[in-house]
Amino acid sequence: MKNFVKSCMLASLAIAMTSCNNSRDYKSNSRATGWDLSGRDGGVSYKTDYEGQEAGPGLLFVEGGTFTMGRVQDDVMHDWNNTPTQQHVQSFYIDETEVTNVMYLEYLDWLKQVFPPTEERYKNIYTGALPDTLVWRNPLGFNENMVNNYLRHPAFHNYPVVGVNWIQATEFSQWRTDRVNEKRLADKGYTSRDAYKNSTAESVFNTETYLNAPNQVYGGSDSITRGGRETDRKLRNNPDSTNVYVQRKDGELLPAYRLPTEAEWEYAALGQSSLRDYNSYRGRKKYPWDGQYTRSGDRKTIGDQRANFKQGQGDYGGIAGWSDDGADITAEVKSYEPNDYGLYDMAGNVSEWVADVYRPRVDNEYNDFNYFRGNVYTKNAITEDGKVKVLTADEVIYDTLSNGRIVARNTPGEIAQVSIGDQETYLRTQFSKSDNVNFRDGDKSSSRYYEKRSGDNEVKKMYNSPDNKVTLKDGEINRRYDGSSDRTTLIDDNVRVYKGGSWRDRAYWMDPAQRRYFPQDMATDDIGFRNAMSKVGSKSNKGRRTRN
């Protein structure tokens, strides 16, 4: 009997200790108040069982860390624009390959279906997204085969898309974000599959609109009408939450697809395992692969070229056979071995747009964490009745580019954006204005040559680039070229960095630290792009370190 009582007491003690420990894990109850956070007791619910961010379609995870951005090798071009600086990059996701022709064709076909170019008001949405296939033409070269076939012929489906300018690449990224998140909601039953498959100009899904004003997504219509009667609801209740719609706090929607920053791209190109090597960490790694040569030293592939690049004057692939790199123009993605992150063609094939505005130096004296030049802070436009302003089919805003091409900078269903003002910048220590492209580089506080021009109020710019003007009036494009002989540079706020060597480049440009620039509204036959996505939560994907 005594043993039985003793056993009961020990069991009770164990249960009490377990209860005590469970009360301190704070997984489903508040560390602040002890209240239940799951919403079972009728209170506000929070996502207490979030298991981490999923990789979006096409993306691979890159764990962030410290690395040396830039080179320490001789600069034979004498650009001196990639002085080594130590930077830290947060973890992120990036496309396994460049965006391919078939991926971009999917985007074009969606635009053509939703915004028919036969309608005048939508004409420039589709035509403004079309790649410039004439980039293949050369006055002394026979390249009409690529002009006619490279984008649309199935033989080139899995080749990287080219002829896409930086603006078009950015708009593709926004479209990809919305289509991926719309499908995620449909797959989990939060929206109707019919809504996903039958978008129209008046009924388009946008991620930010859904999160900020779900009653205005799909044009404000919450039902699908067929044959004069409503057949299904587009938006459905979230079964895992007390909220009618999925919110950001539910963790169901992925962050935006976007262009990688220059620091992210360079970090990803270097490769993970090599970063643990002293020479790589200190910026002495020459290519995305280990070693100082472009040919493989592995026993099975010895002598094979590791990338698609120009080997010499008139030599775009080598001698046919063993010495050939397998391509004369671009190559099909995954034609060469990936780097240590599993990323393909981080050197060669095509160069790639990144998000940054170009400047000759990286200002690591001010910032060495997630470095990026190009921040222009905006906020959602609010109407007089206090609601966000969602653009209708008749409110698309177009830009006339420097070459006279007209592109749509937004599409129906998006939330209108406005620059932030004094309310957001007053007494802030981090930033003082909306547009920070020229921060510490060309503004009054940083420019050595800042002064007023005599006779007018125009500020003298640090970068004396050509000032061409293109205007559109009554359907006619008026172009005014800057013929001044006083211009000394092509650098301005509308040139973007592109990275990596291409099929047109010599091996010198395949160094991940090499950087060049090109106008954001122009395209070539050797610049493509890939997307990235920010990671939310912990730095690693190996699981959280938990403590009570």
Side-chain angles (χ1 to χ4, degrees):
M1 185 67 179
K2 289 182 179 180
N3 290 337
F4 175 75
V5 173
K6 185 177 181 179
S7 299
C8 290
M9 291 176 63
L10 290 173
S12 300
L13 180 60
I15 293 173
M17 292 179 65
T18 302
S19 300
C20 181
N21 289 335
N22 287 341
S23 68
R24 290 183 56 80
D25 62 17
Y26 299 113
K27 291 182 179 178
S28 59
N29 59 313
S30 169
R31 189 181 295 271
T33 63
W35 292 2
D36 175 66
L37 299 179
S38 65
R40 289 189 298 266
D41 60 358
V44 178
S45 66
Y46 298 90
K47 186 77 170 179
T48 59
D49 58 349
Y50 183 69
E51 296 181 354
Q53 180 178 343
E54 298 178 25
L59 302 179
L60 292 180
F61 175 68
V62 175
E63 184 174 341
T66 299
F67 80 114
T68 298
M69 183 177 176
R71 301 183 310 120
V72 295
Q73 300 179 28
D74 291 337
D75 188 349
V76 298
M77 299 298 292
H78 300 292
D79 288 333
W80 303 111
N81 68 349
N82 50 5
T83 303
T85 64
Q86 188 160 292
Q87 296 285 338
H88 188 94
V89 174
Q90 278 188 299
S91 298
F92 61 99
Y93 295 85
I94 192 168
D95 268 330
E96 182 182 20
T97 70
E98 298 113 339
V99 170
T100 62
N101 283 320
V102 73
M103 292 168 68
Y104 203 85
L105 284 173
E106 187 181 3
Y107 168 51
L108 294 177
D109 290 337
W110 186 91
L111 290 178
K112 192 172 186 178
Q113 174 187 332
V114 177
F115 306 109
T118 52
E119 295 189 33
E120 186 63 29
R121 60 178 176 169
Y122 301 139
K123 175 183 177 181
N124 290 312
I125 294 180
Y126 176 72
T127 58
L130 287 171
D132 183 3
T133 58
L134 301 185
V135 295
W136 289 105
R137 281 185 172 162
N138 185 312
L140 293 179
F142 181 67
N143 298 327
E144 292 304 296
N145 177 48
M146 279 82 79
V147 172
N148 295 324
N149 295 311
Y150 184 80
L151 175 64
R152 298 187 184 276
H153 197 284
F156 294 112
H157 270 180
N158 290 318
Y159 284 59
V161 67
V162 297
V164 174
N165 62 44
W166 184 92
I167 295 172
Q168 291 172 318
T170 303
E171 293 300 312
F172 170 88
S173 306
Q174 175 63 56
W175 169 85
R176 188 177 179 186
T177 301
D178 294 335
R179 303 292 75 77
V180 168
N181 279 330
E182 184 179 27
K183 186 175 186 302
R184 285 176 64 87
L185 292 176
D187 288 345
K188 296 186 178 184
Y190 300 139
T191 63
S192 167
R193 285 190 174 275
D194 286 337
Y196 163 61
K197 296 177 180 179
N198 298 287
S199 296
T200 64
E202 292 78 20
S203 178
V204 179
F205 177 89
N206 176 267
T207 301
E208 290 301 316
T209 303
Y210 180 84
L211 289 171
N212 289 275
N215 60 334
Q216 296 188 63
V217 78
Y218 289 121
S221 174
D222 196 16
S223 60
I224 298 173
T225 303
R226 290 202 183 112
R229 64 187 184 89
E230 295 182 358
T231 60
D232 195 8
R233 291 179 62 82
K234 293 180 180 178
L235 303 177
R236 296 174 175 172
N237 292 355
N238 175 3
D240 298 327
S241 173
T242 57
N243 305 307
V244 175
Y245 306 113
V246 173
Q247 297 184 351
R248 204 180 300 272
K249 67 178 184 178
D250 294 313
E252 296 288 357
L253 297 178
L254 294 178
Y257 282 84
R258 55 178 174 78
L259 293 179
T261 66
E262 181 181 5
E264 286 175 334
W265 192 98
E266 188 172 327
Y267 179 85
L270 285 170
Q272 183 178 22
S273 65
S274 295
L275 286 176
R276 305 183 187 281
D277 174 77
Y278 176 81
N279 286 335
S280 302
Y281 180 80
R282 290 301 175 190
R284 294 182 174 88
K285 191 162 190 272
K286 190 172 183 179
Y287 299 118
W289 52 84
D290 293 330
Q292 299 294 309
Y293 305 101
T294 63
R295 293 188 182 274
S296 173
D298 298 337
R299 178 177 298 180
K300 293 183 179 179
T301 58
I302 190 167
D304 289 351
Q305 292 287 6
R306 293 180 179 269
N308 174 21
F309 66 101
K310 183 178 180 180
Q311 299 180 35
Q313 181 67 32
D315 186 354
Y316 288 84
I319 301 172
W322 173 80
S323 183
D324 192 5
D325 67 12
D328 39 28
I329 56 168
T330 57
E332 187 173 4
V333 296
K334 294 190 175 184
S335 294
Y336 307 91
E337 291 296 316
N339 73 355
D340 292 332
Y341 280 127
L343 306 176
Y344 291 86
D345 295 323
M346 296 303 284
N349 215 16
V350 293
S351 301
E352 299 178 20
W353 289 114
V354 296
D356 295 59
V357 171
Y358 177 83
R359 288 293 185 266
R361 65 183 292 267
V362 172
D363 189 3
N364 71 312
E365 294 177 358
Y366 186 84
N367 181 42
D368 56 5
F369 180 78
N370 278 355
Y371 188 88
F372 168 66
R373 179 177 289 278
N375 281 313
V376 179
Y377 301 123
T378 61
K379 62 181 179 180
N380 295 337
I382 305 298
T383 61
E384 293 182 357
D385 58 0
K387 298 180 180 179
V388 294
K389 170 65 176 175
V390 178
L391 298 174
T392 65
D394 297 317
E395 295 176 314
V396 180
I397 299 173
Y398 297 95
D399 275 355
T400 303
L401 306 183
S402 62
N403 57 7
R405 190 169 187 174
I406 302 172
V407 299
R409 295 303 292 264
N410 50 44
T411 53
E414 294 182 13
I415 299 176
Q417 298 293 302
V418 295
S419 298
I420 62 172
D422 294 340
Q423 277 189 314
E424 291 80 11
T425 60
Y426 180 65
L427 290 183
R428 287 194 180 274
T429 58
Q430 317 99 298
F431 63 97
S432 59
K433 57 184 179 179
S434 175
D435 188 339
N436 294 275
V437 170
N438 283 321
F439 184 73
R440 287 169 57 93
D441 190 88
D443 56 9
K444 183 175 181 179
S445 62
S446 63
S447 176
R448 176 182 175 187
Y449 302 106
Y450 176 86
E451 62 183 34
K452 296 288 186 180
R453 289 179 180 171
S454 58
D456 59 40
N457 294 321
E458 186 177 358
V459 177
K460 185 175 181 180
K461 299 183 295 184
M462 173 178 280
Y463 295 101
N464 189 24
S465 56
D467 187 18
N468 300 315
K469 296 290 185 183
V470 180
T471 57
L472 181 66
K473 186 177 182 181
D474 300 327
E476 294 290 329
I477 297 176
N478 299 314
R479 300 177 177 88
R480 182 181 67 78
Y481 296 97
D482 185 346
S484 172
S485 59
D486 297 330
R487 304 307 184 189
T488 58
T489 182
L490 294 175
I491 300 173
D492 60 25
D493 292 347
N494 297 308
V495 295
R496 302 282 173 168
V497 178
Y498 69 96
K499 302 280 283 184
S502 74
W503 64 276
R504 279 193 177 277
D505 293 317
R506 301 293 291 269
Y508 170 80
W509 293 106
M510 293 196 296
D511 185 330
Q514 291 290 2
R515 55 199 305 261
R516 290 174 282 182
Y517 64 90
F518 203 68
Q520 66 181 21
D521 53 7
M522 297 177 67
T524 73
D525 62 358
D526 62 344
I527 300 180
F529 69 101
R530 71 179 74 211
N531 283 145
M533 178 184 290
S534 299
K535 185 182 187 304
V536 295
S538 63
K539 176 177 181 287
S540 172
N541 263 354
K542 299 175 183 177
R544 297 181 298 178
R545 299 176 182 177
T546 58
R547 290 181 180 176
N548 290 332

